[in-house]
Each structure stands twice: as structure tokens, then as C-alpha cells.
Amino acid sequence: MASRSGCHGPAGFARSLPERGLLLLVVLVLLEGSVLPLGAASSPDTSHREKPDGHSVAAEPHNITKKPFPVLSIDYTHIQTPFEISLWVLLASLMKLGFHLIPRLSGIVPESCLLIVVGLLVGGLIRLAGEKVPPVLDSRLFFLCLLPPIILDAGYFLPIRPFMENMGTILMFAVVGTLWNAFFVGGLLYAVCQIQPDNPSILHQLELLPCLLFGSIISAVDPVAVLAVFEEIHINELLHILVFGESLLNDAVTVVLYHLFEEFAGAGTVTVLDGFLGVISFLVVSLGGVLVGAIYGILAAFTSRFTSHTRVIEPLFVFVYSYMAYLSAEMFHLSGIMALIACGAVMRPYVEANISHKSHTTIKYFLKMWSSVSETLIFIFLGVATVDGPHSWNWTFVSVTVILCLVARVIGVVGLTYIINKFRIVKLTTKDQFIVAYGGLRGAIAFSLCYLLDKDHFPLRELFLTAIITVIFFTVFVQGMTIKPLVELLAVKKKQEAKRSINEEIHTQFLDHLLTGIEDICGHYGHHHWKDKLNRFNKKYVKKCLIAGERSKEPQLIAFYHKMEMKQAIELVESGGGVKLPSAMPSTVSMQNIQPKKPPPAKPVERALPQLPKGREEEIRKILRSNLQRTRQRLRSYNRHTLVADPYEDGFSDLLLKKQRMIEMDSALRLSRSTNLVSSVDPQAYSVKPAADNVPTIQVDLASPQSPDSVNLLDEFRRPGGADDARDQQKLMRCLSDPGPSADEEEDEPFLP
């Protein structure tokens, strides 16, 4: 009885919690007007008072007056910061929810545009209420809190294969394209500002270095804006990885140019040595950021190897190590964005092999949620910061900035694509170039970098901020709203949502091995060769250190099959089809991979072929390996671009003509076998220099065509000449029958005669 009452009491209390909570809320609202004055009227705490040096002393006893004890009091300043942060996050989530509840609106206006409008309305309401607009888009808040989740989500789920296959194109757009945009915009903007010197204006105060600094800030493509727009139009994977990869990798160029021009803007001059140091700084910033991210990624993977007994903290290591990589890179003024990208890309394959499926789901949805909220807050804060100001409007400067950004982007993309297409197998079409140029959106990174400028050293900082906000609004609203109709109008290929299958994975790996073998045969070491070397090193050394258990020895195809099997089983359970599998399923779900059990010992099966001893197998492998390696060393590397003209080309043509005539003679001999005729052949028909005193006779033995008495037709080409003729004959034999390199031939002898 006691146990029942104990169980019933908490249950009844839990059921009455909503009613009690609602009643308490009503009581608080009703008593607000009466209780607050009571708390406010209560005497302040005068039991302690401070001396001028900061030490508190006890108050005099006769000053203490007894007041009624306050029933309820409010201390908003105590919780102001976390409460306002919660309100902003709640506002961002509600706006995102409401945006997706109106499908017609989402088909016309991009989400980023709507969020900026919401920020403008919120900032306007704060201004109308007579309150000061808070500096929500502070650079410290943006770079340390809002930007890392978005970059980590992009780096952790980055499609590695298309990213690496298009690395050259991405680097051209990110490095050369950003440099072109910065100097083109900054240089022409300075030239425009120097027009009409007779009419002095505020623009004449601008010097060349501040203009180049402004050009470096406004030239970089923003990854947040690109993600927000390109994920809505569902563009194909190639264009998405080109534009988004450019927005990620141009961070190093922007950081170096920003610090370089900011440092020397006060000095007024930049020497050749400064430019050389800037190039070195770019390499240090970019490669240093990648190295820092890779180190933290390896540490995260190694730590996840030992979390099999504490699964609950597995996602924490992914988040903490990634954030530490970003902070460490920022501490040394390296590229934090590239550090996050490298950290996420390095750790993912090893971490997913060690953690549980629940931890993988937690990481996936937490990253998506975190990055989505940060992206929403960034666009809302852009609208609020626009209302906050202060602004300095100049029609000439702002309009010229917008026009130059568009012109520089178009010229840069077209010019670089003309060069890139000379080296690409899959060329970038005119439509692709248009989407890449039109998708160069600017965002909050440019605003935050300009916000960091010191007003004492840059008196026109407010003019820069106004121009940057105008460019951001133009790219997000005009280009962001029109890019989707333009994609439909131009019939640009969309992204195809197709699930990967075992068949596709098998063919992909087969083609990789085939192309690697072709490169090895040709002696040309391309990216397939080095990719295969890296995979072998990863399998032989890295996996054994970073992956626990037998998963480190598991082939890639088997691991992919287990992943597909797990995903199929989960979809089957969620759909309620646990009794019978649909016929469309490609393979039967094996629950043993979900709950692995030790398989029973397999019965010995007789092999069809006799089993060789291990020593014999190793000997065969050694023979094959040494012979193949010798063949590869003896053959020269060649391709159609490096072939040179043969000085004996005419003589070689004569040899080919002899071969053709020999074939014709062989056909004639086969016809003569049916008539048992013995024919004599004129050697002048088969020799360039006929010899009248040496006329060979061909004897045909029908009973034994391979008799030693029969004459080889190649003997017709033998001429007295000593060692040179024997060498030519050997070359001709190799050319006609291609038996492979001879053991008597020198190592550096060319393959063709």
C-alpha cells in the first residue's frame, strides 16, 4: 500500500503541474502592480557601506530600519545577457519556422532576404521605442560565435571527391580571382575618386592604400550568403562546389591583403620587399591554417578510438576539438576558416568508424541546427546593424563600388575560365560561367572586417560601411532573388538526388584502379597515382592508429555496404515494414551487422585447386613483382605530347612497307599449298637493294608447315652488315611482334627502333 501511494503521489503531482504553473503565472501577473512597489519601497541594504578604498565596513546600528520582507523582486540586470541571447535565438527560430510555413513566399523570396527584412523591422521598432539599438553584429561576436558553426558544418559534410577533383579550378578562382577583384576594384575606385580636382570633395581624401584595403574587403565571396542561396536553388554539384569552395579558400587571401594594407595604410608606401613578405605570409596563413586543422582532426580521431565505454561524450570531442582548431588558428592570425575545413574533413572518416550510430546522428543534427541558427542570426543582425548606423552616404562612391564589383567579377570569371578550360577534361560552358559570376555574393564577413577598422586611422570608415552594406543588399536581394528564375530560364542542370548504391561504388573503385593502372603503364604519375599511394598509406599505417578494433582492416567496399545496410534497416523499421521486406530493396537486410554475433566455425571446404605452400606463393609474388618492376624501369615514359621526330623515320617506313609485302607473300604461299607447287621468289620485290647473286628459295612442306626445312619470311630482310644489321633485325622483330624487352638489351635502349 505504501509503495502504491508513493507512486501515485508523484504521478498526480506531475499531472497537475500544467494547471499549477498556469495558476502561478496568473497570480504573478495580478500581483505585479502591488508586489513590485512593495519590493521597491523596501529599504536598501545598508548593513554594509564601502570606504573610498573599496573595503566595506559595518553600518551603524541605529540606521537600520525594519521594512516588510519583499515577497517578489526583479533583478533584470542579473540575467540580461543570457535572456537577450535567448530572445534573439527564439526570434530567429520563429522566423525560420514561419518562413517555411508559407511555401508560396519561399518560392519567390530567398530566406536570407526575408531575414534581413525582419532585422530591419526589429531595428526600426527599437528606434521607435526610443531605445538604443544594441551592437548585435559586433566583430568579436561574429568571428568567435556565429561563423564557426557554419564553417564546421560545411567542412564536416564537405564532399571530398568533387572538391579534390576540382581543386585546381577552385584555387584559381579563390586566389587569382580574389587578387584580381581586389586590385581592380581598389585601383579604379581610387582613380574615380581623383576626378575633378577643381571641385574638392570628401572623396579626394582617399589615398591608394585605403582604396586597396576597401577593395580587398569587398572582393571576397561570402560562404554564408552562398550557402543560403545555393541550397535553395539546388544547383548541380559542380557549380555548387566551385562557388562554395572559392568562398571557403579565399579567406587566406582576404586575411593577408587586409592585414597588409591595414599595416601600411598609415605609412603610405609599400615596397617590393613588403610584397614579397605578403606572398610568404599568404603561404603561411593558408598552409598553417590547414596544418593546425589537420592536427586537431587527427587528435579528435585518436581520442574517439577510446570512447567505446563512454558513448555519451563522443559528440563533445568533435565540437571541442574543432572549435579549438579555429581559436588556435585565429590566435596566430592564420586562416580559421581553412583550419575548420581541414579539421572536419580529416576527422570525419575515422571518427565515424569509431563512434556509435546514435552519436553520429547527434553530431549531424546538432551541427545542422547550430549552423542554421547562426546563419539566421547573421542575416537578422545585418538588418539591425543597418538601422543602427551610423552611415555616410555618397552617391558616386556607392554606385561606382557596386558597378565595379559586378564588372570585376564578370571579367575575372571569363578570363580565368578561358585559361582553366585548356586543362580541364569537362569544360565549363557559358552557362556555367554565368552562374559562377552571378553567384559571387557578399555577406557579413565583409561587414565585420570593415567594422574592425580604427576610425582614427581611417576617417572614412562610415563611408566604407555604407558602401559595403549597399553591396551586400544588392547581391543578396537582386542577385539572390533573380538567380533561381535565371537557372530555370537557362535550363542549367540541377542537382539529382540519387542514393548511392553498391553497384555505383563498385564501378567507381574499379575505374579508379583502372586509371591508376593506365597511368602506371604510361609512366605518367597523375592524381590517380598519388591518390592510390595515399590510400595505401592510409590503409597500412593511419587506419591502424586512428580506428579501433577490426574496423581498421575492413575494406572500403565492405564498410560502405555495412553503412548502406544499417541505413536500409533503419528506414525499414521507421516505415513499419518489419515483417516483410519490399521487393524493390536491392539486398536483404542482415540484422547481424546491427547486433553482431560471433559466427559459427566454418566447416573446411575442399578447394578445387591444390593449395600452394606459403613459401611457393611468396616466391611467385616475388617473381611477378620483380619482373613487372623491371619492365616498368626499362620502358620510357611517353605520351602523345612528348613524342619527338624519329631521325630514321624514312627507314622505318621502308620496314613497314616490307612487312606489308611480306604479308601479301604469305597469302600467296597459302594459296600455293593447295596445288603442291614450289615457287621461287624474286628478292628484288622485298629488298630495297637487291642482290643478284643471293636468291633464296622457299620450300613448302605441306605435311609439316613448321618443319625446320621451311624458310622464315623474315630472312628476306637479312643483309650482310655485321653487328648493325643484327641490331636492326632485332629492332624489327620487336616492332613486328612486340615480345617485350629483351634480357640482352641495354637498360636505356628506346622501345621503338
Side-chain angles (χ1 to χ4, degrees), residues 404-424:
L404 287 179
C405 286
L406 295 176
V407 174
R409 180 69 181 174
V410 172
I411 296 177
V413 170
V414 173
L416 290 177
T417 306
Y418 176 77
I419 301 174
I420 291 169
N421 278 343
K422 294 182 178 295
F423 304 94
R424 286 182 61 91

Side-chain angles (χ1 to χ4, degrees), residues 739-753:
S742 175
D744 299 329
E745 188 178 354
E746 296 180 1
E747 287 291 330
D748 57 348
E749 186 67 25
F751 178 70
L752 295 176

Side-chain angles (χ1 to χ4, degrees), residues 29-224:
V29 172
L30 293 177
L31 294 180
E32 183 180 1
S34 59
V35 177
L36 287 181
L38 179 62
S42 61
S43 62
D45 185 11
T46 59
S47 59
H48 293 79
R49 56 195 175 102
E50 293 186 357
K51 285 185 177 182
D53 58 356
H55 299 284
S56 60
V57 296
E60 298 296 334
H62 61 273
N63 290 335
I64 298 177
T65 57
K66 185 177 181 181
K67 294 292 183 180
F69 183 77
V71 179
L72 182 65
S73 61
I74 292 181
D75 188 6
Y76 178 69
T77 57
H78 180 62
I79 52 94
Q80 179 179 2
T81 301
F83 186 76
E84 291 181 355
I85 292 175
S86 302
L87 283 180
W88 282 113
V89 173
L90 180 62
L91 175 64
S93 303
L94 291 177
M95 290 299 102
K96 198 173 187 68
L97 178 64
F99 175 76
H100 289 284
L101 289 177
I102 309 175
R104 182 174 301 179
L105 182 63
S106 62
I108 301 175
V109 184
E111 181 181 344
S112 55
C113 301
L114 181 67
L115 295 175
I116 291 178
V117 172
V118 171
L120 293 173
L121 294 177
V122 172
L125 291 176
I126 295 176
R127 275 292 182 88
L128 290 177
E131 298 290 336
K132 182 180 179 181
V133 179
V136 287
L137 201 60
D138 181 71
S139 297
R140 184 181 180 87
L141 172 67
F142 174 77
F143 283 111
L144 298 182
C145 299
L146 296 179
L147 185 61
I150 302 174
I151 305 302
L152 177 59
D153 175 62
Y156 192 80
F157 298 103
L158 183 70
I160 299 297
R161 187 181 184 90
F163 184 79
M164 297 304 297
E165 289 178 351
N166 298 278
M167 176 62 75
T169 306
I170 294 173
L171 286 176
M172 284 287 290
F173 284 133
V175 179
V176 182
T178 305
L179 288 173
W180 159 258
N181 290 339
F183 285 98
F184 183 84
V185 173
L188 289 185
L189 198 58
Y190 173 74
V192 171
C193 292
Q194 303 305 315
I195 296 177
Q196 294 181 352
D198 298 335
N199 298 327
S201 64
I202 191 175
L203 297 181
H204 291 150
Q205 302 177 10
L206 279 175
E207 297 180 355
L208 179 60
L209 286 179
C211 287
L212 292 177
L213 173 63
F214 176 76
S216 65
I217 294 174
I218 201 63
S219 61
V221 179
D222 189 80
V224 182

Side-chain angles (χ1 to χ4, degrees), residues 395-659:
W395 276 103
T396 303
F397 188 83
V398 173
S399 57
V400 169
T401 300
V402 175
I403 295 174
L404 287 179
C405 286
L406 295 176
V407 174
R409 180 69 181 174
V410 172
I411 296 177
V413 170
V414 173
L416 290 177
T417 306
Y418 176 77
I419 301 174
I420 291 169
N421 278 343
K422 294 182 178 295
F423 304 94
R424 286 182 61 91
I425 299 176
V426 180
K427 311 295 183 183
L428 295 178
T429 63
T430 306
K431 296 179 181 179
D432 297 337
Q433 298 177 41
F434 176 78
I435 296 299
V436 171
Y438 205 73
L441 308 178
R442 274 66 168 181
I445 291 182
F447 179 86
S448 299
L449 287 176
C450 189
Y451 193 84
L452 287 173
L453 296 177
D454 189 2
K455 191 174 182 180
D456 296 334
H457 296 130
F458 300 94
L460 297 181
R461 169 176 171 268
E462 297 177 358
L463 179 62
F464 288 172
L465 283 173
T466 304
I468 287 176
I469 290 176
T470 305
V471 172
I472 292 173
F473 278 29
F474 180 84
T475 56
V476 173
F477 279 89
V478 178
Q479 295 179 214
M481 291 178 64
T482 56
I483 190 171
K484 188 173 183 179
L486 288 174
V487 168
E488 300 288 346
L489 180 63
L490 297 176
V492 180
K493 185 180 179 181
K494 295 290 192 69
K495 182 179 180 180
Q496 298 178 356
E497 297 291 343
K499 296 182 179 180
R500 294 179 63 189
S501 61
I502 296 294
N503 188 19
E504 179 183 355
E505 186 70 17
I506 291 174
H507 281 80
T508 301
Q509 293 190 19
F510 169 73
L511 289 176
D512 288 342
H513 287 294
L514 180 63
L515 292 174
T516 304
I518 292 175
E519 289 183 352
D520 285 345
I521 292 174
C522 295
H524 173 70
Y525 295 152
H527 67 277
H528 290 95
H529 171 81
W530 296 113
K531 179 183 176 182
D532 182 71
K533 291 288 186 184
L534 185 61
N535 288 336
R536 291 176 181 272
F537 177 80
N538 179 37
K539 182 180 179 181
K540 190 174 182 180
Y541 300 105
V542 181
K543 277 189 174 183
K544 294 180 180 180
C545 299
L546 301 182
I547 299 180
E550 297 295 327
R551 296 292 298 272
S552 61
K553 303 178 182 179
E554 192 175 49
Q556 182 180 356
L557 188 61
I558 302 300
F560 178 75
Y561 174 75
H562 287 167
K563 186 184 298 184
M564 294 291 294
E565 199 174 43
M566 174 71 75
K567 185 177 180 180
Q568 180 182 340
I570 293 174
E571 292 178 354
L572 181 67
V573 173
E574 290 178 351
S575 62
V579 180
K580 185 178 180 181
L581 286 174
S583 58
M585 292 296 181
S587 63
T588 305
V589 177
S590 174
M591 299 305 292
Q592 293 180 357
N593 292 323
I594 302 176
Q595 296 178 354
K597 298 179 181 179
K598 293 184 178 180
K603 296 181 180 180
V605 181
E606 296 183 358
R607 297 181 59 177
L609 297 176
Q611 185 176 3
L612 295 175
K614 290 186 177 180
R616 181 60 177 168
E617 289 184 359
E618 187 64 27
E619 184 181 356
I620 294 175
R621 289 196 185 96
K622 186 176 180 180
I623 293 173
L624 292 175
R625 191 183 303 114
S626 60
N627 289 335
L628 290 175
Q629 183 67 18
R630 185 181 299 120
T631 301
R632 181 172 173 180
Q633 291 176 353
R634 297 173 70 87
L635 296 181
R636 284 189 176 182
S637 173
Y638 68 94
N639 54 51
R640 62 186 180 89
H641 301 288
T642 59
L643 288 178
V644 296
D646 192 358
Y648 304 101
E649 185 176 2
D650 296 335
F652 184 69
S653 301
D654 294 336
L655 293 177
L656 294 180
L657 183 61
K658 295 175 185 178
K659 177 184 176 182

